[in-house]
Amino acid sequence: MAGVQTAVALREQGFTGTVTLIGAEPHQPYDRPPLSKAVLLGKAEDSAFDVDFEALGIELRLGREVLGVRPDAHRLDTAEGPVPYDVLVLATGAEPIRLPGAEGVPGVHLLRTLDDAERLRPVLARQHDIVVVGAGWIGAEFVTAAREAGCAVTVVEAADLPLAGALPAEVAAPMAAWYADAGATLRTHARVRSVEAGAVLLDDGSRLPADAVVVGIGARPATAWLAGSGIALGTHGEVVADDGLRTSAPDVYAVGDCASFPSGRYGERLLVHHWDNALQGPRTVAANILGKPTGEPAAVYDPVPYFWSEQFGRFVQYAGHHGSADTTLWRGDPSGPAWTVCWLREGRLVALLAVGRPRDLAQGRKLIEAGTPMDATVLTDPARPLKAAAA
C-alpha cells in the first residue's frame, strides 16, 4: 500500500521523472485487508490494486529483492545488480514475528502475504482443527474466517486477555466473550512450549491436536536489510523519520509500517502498523520530494491514526492514540452489540474505540483533529450524538 500510494501520489502531484517500484514478491501489487477475509475464504482470487501502472508511467520490478542500500552512492544493491536512485522511498512494511521452535514444522502458517492466504485457503476448505497462537487483531480476524468455514478453532494467548498489548484490560475484557459466542475456544494464560506435527504443547502440559497452526503474535518492521546502511533505526527496528518522513540519510524517505514519526499532536514518536497510515503518509512524502516554493513550509505528517477490524460479526474501529494516564469514558453497554470507549486528556478527546457505532467514529475523529474540549456528561450518554458533547 505505502509503496504504490507513494508512486501514484507523485504522479498526481505532478512529478514527471522516472518512478520505479521494486518489490520482492512476484505478484502484482495488492491490498492486504482482503487476505484475512475474502481471499482466505475463496471469495476472491487476489486483491490486486486497481492501478494502471503503465498508463501512469510507473515501472514495476517484481520478484526483485533489495539486499542493501548505499546512501553515499545513491544506490540499491540487488541480486540482479545495482539500481541507482536520485530519491529513495523505503516502504518495506512489516513482517510477522515467527514462533520460536516452530520453523519448518509441517502445518505451521503465518498470515501476512498473498502466498500465506493461498496456503491457508485449502486448510479452511477442508475444515481442519486449527490452533491459533495469539489473540490479537489478525488472530481474531482469522478465527472469524475459520469459524465461518466450519473449522474447529482453539486460540492460545499468553496474556490474561485478547488484545492485551493494544487495549487496557477493562476494554479488552468484553471482547473475550466474542470467541465463545463464535464457537471458538479461547485459552488465556497459555504459553506454547513446543509445536510438533499435528499438535501444540503448552507449558501446563496440555496437548492440543492441530491439523494446522496459525501464528499471529505480532509484526516487526521489515528493516533487517538496512544493516550497515547508516540509516538510523529506532528501538523497535523501525526507520526513524522526521515530521516530513525524511530519514537520517540524504534523499531517503520512509513511510508506512516500517517507519516511525514524531507526532506534535500526541507529543511522542508513533509507530503505526495500520492500513490508513500506509494510505495517508505517501501524500506527505510525495509533497516533500517535489518540494514547496521558496518561503513555504515543508509538508508535515501528523495524522490522527485510524484502523478498523472486522471480527465476530462486529465492525471495530479505532481513531487516535491513548496512554495509561488518559481518562476512560464509556458510551453504551459493552455486553451489548454496540458501544464506544473514549479517552480524554485535559478534557479533550484523544482517542476512541467504536464497536458497531460508525457514527461515533466519524464524529470523534473530527473532534480529535480539532482538539475540541468535551463535556464528559454528554459524552457518556450513548443516546446523544458524540458531536453534541463538544463543550
Side-chain angles (χ1 to χ4, degrees), residues 242-245 261-264 276-282 284 299-303:
D242 68 9
D243 61 6
L245 299 178
F261 56 91
S263 171
D276 192 65
N277 180 49
L279 174 68
Q280 304 294 342
T284 299
V300 171
Y301 188 59
D302 194 8

Side-chain angles (χ1 to χ4, degrees), residues 149-174:
C151 300
V153 183
T154 299
V155 183
V156 176
E157 171 56 54
D160 301 348
L161 292 164
L163 296 168
L167 297 172
E170 62 182 309
V171 178

Side-chain angles (χ1 to χ4, degrees), residues 262-339:
S263 171
R265 185 189 307 277
Y266 291 104
E268 60 183 284
R269 180 166 286 275
L270 300 182
L271 175 59
V272 180
H273 280 190
H274 293 299
W275 183 91
D276 192 65
N277 180 49
L279 174 68
Q280 304 294 342
R283 296 167 189 166
T284 299
V285 171
N288 284 327
I289 289 173
L290 286 160
K292 297 282 187 176
T294 303
E296 288 191 25
V300 171
Y301 188 59
D302 194 8
V304 173
Y306 166 75
F307 75 88
W308 82 96
S309 175
E310 294 176 288
Q311 52 182 270
F312 307 114
R314 295 167 172 85
F315 189 42
V316 182
Q317 295 173 283
Y318 178 94
H321 176 71
H322 71 273
S324 58
D326 296 327
T327 301
T328 305
L329 297 174
W330 292 78
R331 284 170 56 81
D333 181 358
S335 65
W339 45 275

Side-chain angles (χ1 to χ4, degrees), residues 89-329:
V89 180
L90 308 176
T92 48
E95 57 193 4
I97 297 172
R98 299 178 181 272
L99 186 65
E103 293 89 349
V105 177
V108 176
H109 299 263
L110 300 167
L111 181 52
R112 180 76 184 184
T113 68
L114 179 59
D115 289 338
D116 292 337
E118 290 179 343
R119 282 189 287 266
L120 274 166
R121 189 156 54 188
V123 172
L124 268 60
R126 290 193 290 267
Q127 298 186 330
H128 277 323
D129 290 345
I130 301 174
V131 171
V132 176
V133 182
W137 297 112
I138 191 65
E141 292 190 2
F142 175 79
V143 173
T144 300
R147 288 298 299 140
E148 183 177 334
C151 300
V153 183
T154 299
V155 183
V156 176
E157 171 56 54
D160 301 348
L161 292 164
L163 296 168
L167 297 172
E170 62 182 309
V171 178
M175 298 174 161
W178 297 356
Y179 288 81
D181 292 344
T185 300
L186 173 63
R187 295 188 57 163
T188 56
H189 301 283
R191 292 187 174 276
V192 175
R193 177 185 298 171
S194 62
V195 178
E196 57 187 38
V200 174
L201 281 66
L202 304 182
D203 272 356
D204 65 2
S206 301
R207 186 178 187 277
L208 306 178
D211 297 313
V213 178
V214 177
V215 179
I217 55 175
R220 62 167 64 95
T223 56
W225 67 283
L226 292 173
S229 68
I231 295 173
L233 301 181
T235 55
H236 300 285
E238 85 281 8
V239 180
V240 176
D242 68 9
D243 61 6
L245 299 178
R246 306 172 192 82
T247 74
S248 62
D251 303 316
V252 179
Y253 295 77
V255 64
D257 291 7
C258 72
S260 66
F261 56 91
S263 171
R265 185 189 307 277
Y266 291 104
E268 60 183 284
R269 180 166 286 275
L270 300 182
L271 175 59
V272 180
H273 280 190
H274 293 299
W275 183 91
D276 192 65
N277 180 49
L279 174 68
Q280 304 294 342
R283 296 167 189 166
T284 299
V285 171
N288 284 327
I289 289 173
L290 286 160
K292 297 282 187 176
T294 303
E296 288 191 25
V300 171
Y301 188 59
D302 194 8
V304 173
Y306 166 75
F307 75 88
W308 82 96
S309 175
E310 294 176 288
Q311 52 182 270
F312 307 114
R314 295 167 172 85
F315 189 42
V316 182
Q317 295 173 283
Y318 178 94
H321 176 71
H322 71 273
S324 58
D326 296 327
T327 301
T328 305
L329 297 174

